[in-house]
Amino acid sequence: MTTVDFNFADVCCGAHGLSILLTGIKDDKEHKVLFDTGPHSAIFLENAKRLEIEFEKIEVIVLSHWHIDHSGGMLAAVERCQHAREQQKQQQQSTSPVVVDLHPDRPDERGVCLTRPSPPGSTVSEPIEYVAWGKDPSFSALESAGGKVSKNAKAHTICDSFFGVSGTIPRKTTYETGIPNHVRWSESTKTWSAEQEIMDERYLVARVRSKGLVVLTGCSHAGVINVCQDVKRAFGGGNKKDEDIFFVVGGFHLAGGSMETRIQETVKDMKEINPTYMAPGHCSGWRAKSALENAMTGQVVSLGVGSDFFITHQQN
Ligand SMILES: [Zn+2]
Ligand SMILES: [Zn+2]
């Protein structure tokens, strides 16, 4: 019997945010896409080092939406992709810059408006203060870091059609009405304005043969049911049998008092959609996770920093 060391200094570190590396393999072809980059560069780089990420192989970085907990590590990610490519060039290998796939509607800044009941105990609330979340990386900063910015508001495919990126997610359900208290800063008017719906949010999708659609959702500001319904419509190819969702992973945004009222209806509709598996994380909230697990036992899997999922085609 041999003994191996396990160094707890090498485990990943958690933070409020999301970043998922997606690898697609078909025959002898492989494509890698990075979906979001977490809240800041230090945590992104530390975790990337521990996970031994091959930055030279990342072809596209897709940002789900302009919120700093998803874009905060993006400049560092682009820099690392560029650095890895420069090393490749020294070995005479041809490289092309990493593509940074972004929604064109970049806000000057986003944040939340904190409120309190007024008078105390009532359901009417008055604003107390704005909390600014910091500026997302700019298009020019991402270009300067070596990225090739690609602005897309409409649904499109990337990496030789291995993956799809959605356009605007239609808001169809009656109860998924955005997030109260979200606000957007305007540099020109120096004012905050209410922005309940984060309309620039997009999801990433892939199809795994014999399994179904695999959906990566950033925060589900559109509502995770709206996300799933749009995936089926936009990427189901018009065939009922191709609309099956195998896996939904990411933020379901059902945490917090104002969002938890939607859990019951979400669970009811999720049962209809019936994905084979779900991995709610990030902003999903423990009540939503346990409600989904109770209603769809065995279909909810745990998601944490450093999680790995392998989804493979099954030969008959
Ligand atoms: Zn988020
Ligand atoms: Zn968000």
Side-chain angles (χ1 to χ4, degrees), residues 65 67 69-70 219 221:
H65 63 299
H67 261 158
D69 51 335
H70 300 254
C219 262
H221 290 295

Side-chain angles (χ1 to χ4, degrees), residues 98-115:
V98 64
V99 173
V100 190
D101 192 313
L102 305 162
H103 193 283
D105 183 21
R106 175 187 174 275
D108 293 329
E109 193 164 355
R110 274 175 167 154
V112 287
C113 177
L114 299 183
T115 60

Side-chain angles (χ1 to χ4, degrees), residues 57-294:
K57 291 189 179 170
I58 298 174
E59 292 166 56
V60 187
I61 300 175
V62 175
L63 179 66
S64 63
H65 63 299
W66 293 107
H67 261 158
I68 204 84
D69 51 335
H70 300 254
S71 69
M74 187 158 281
L75 264 180
V78 172
E79 281 165 5
R80 285 300 305 271
C81 287
Q82 173 68 5
H83 178 70
R85 281 158 167 76
E86 273 160 18
Q87 288 190 324
Q88 271 198 316
K89 260 189 218 160
Q90 286 169 9
Q91 293 159 19
Q92 315 295 326
Q93 293 182 37
S94 68
T95 60
S96 45
V98 64
V99 173
V100 190
D101 192 313
L102 305 162
H103 193 283
D105 183 21
R106 175 187 174 275
D108 293 329
E109 193 164 355
R110 274 175 167 154
V112 287
C113 177
L114 299 183
T115 60
R116 69 174 155 222
S118 175
S122 82
T123 53
V124 181
S125 57
E126 67 166 345
I128 313 168
E129 64 181 355
Y130 295 107
V131 180
W133 283 355
K135 289 179 171 47
D136 297 279
S138 66
F139 297 121
S140 58
L142 291 163
E143 293 266 8
S144 301
K148 183 172 184 286
V149 168
S150 170
K151 299 179 191 174
N152 296 291
K154 292 190 173 159
H156 58 288
T157 58
I158 55 173
C159 296
D160 208 10
S161 296
F162 263 45
F163 312 112
V165 182
S166 78
T168 304
I169 304 162
R171 318 289 162 118
K172 293 196 168 170
T173 61
T174 53
Y175 55 92
E176 293 178 317
T177 51
I179 321 290
N181 301 348
H182 274 201
V183 288
R184 180 182 183 121
W185 174 252
S186 164
E187 203 60 55
S188 57
T189 60
K190 306 282 183 210
T191 53
W192 289 101
S193 55
E195 192 187 27
Q196 189 149 339
E197 297 186 320
I198 307 293
M199 294 306 292
D200 50 282
E201 182 157 20
R202 307 161 316 151
Y203 58 80
L204 187 64
V205 60
R207 177 186 297 286
V208 178
R209 209 161 15 130
S210 76
K211 290 283 168 46
L213 297 164
V214 173
V215 190
L216 275 60
T217 177
C219 262
S220 301
H221 290 295
V224 70
I225 299 303
N226 280 328
V227 167
C228 291
Q229 286 175 347
D230 191 60
V231 170
K232 289 158 93 63
R233 185 194 57 78
F235 294 94
N239 302 317
K240 262 263 168 277
K241 69 172 180 56
D242 290 335
E243 290 183 359
D244 286 346
I245 296 178
F246 181 76
F247 191 39
V248 190
V249 53
F252 289 17
H253 224 309
L254 291 164
S258 63
M259 305 302 291
E260 286 172 354
T261 53
R262 302 175 191 178
I263 291 175
Q264 227 181 348
E265 283 165 295
T266 302
V267 170
K268 184 172 157 282
D269 286 343
M270 197 58 102
K271 277 186 86 167
E272 284 281 307
I273 295 164
N274 198 25
T276 308
Y277 294 107
M278 291 162 282
H282 182 36
C283 49
S284 302
W286 67 272
R287 284 198 171 93
K289 289 183 206 173
S290 54
L292 284 164
E293 168 61 17
N294 284 337

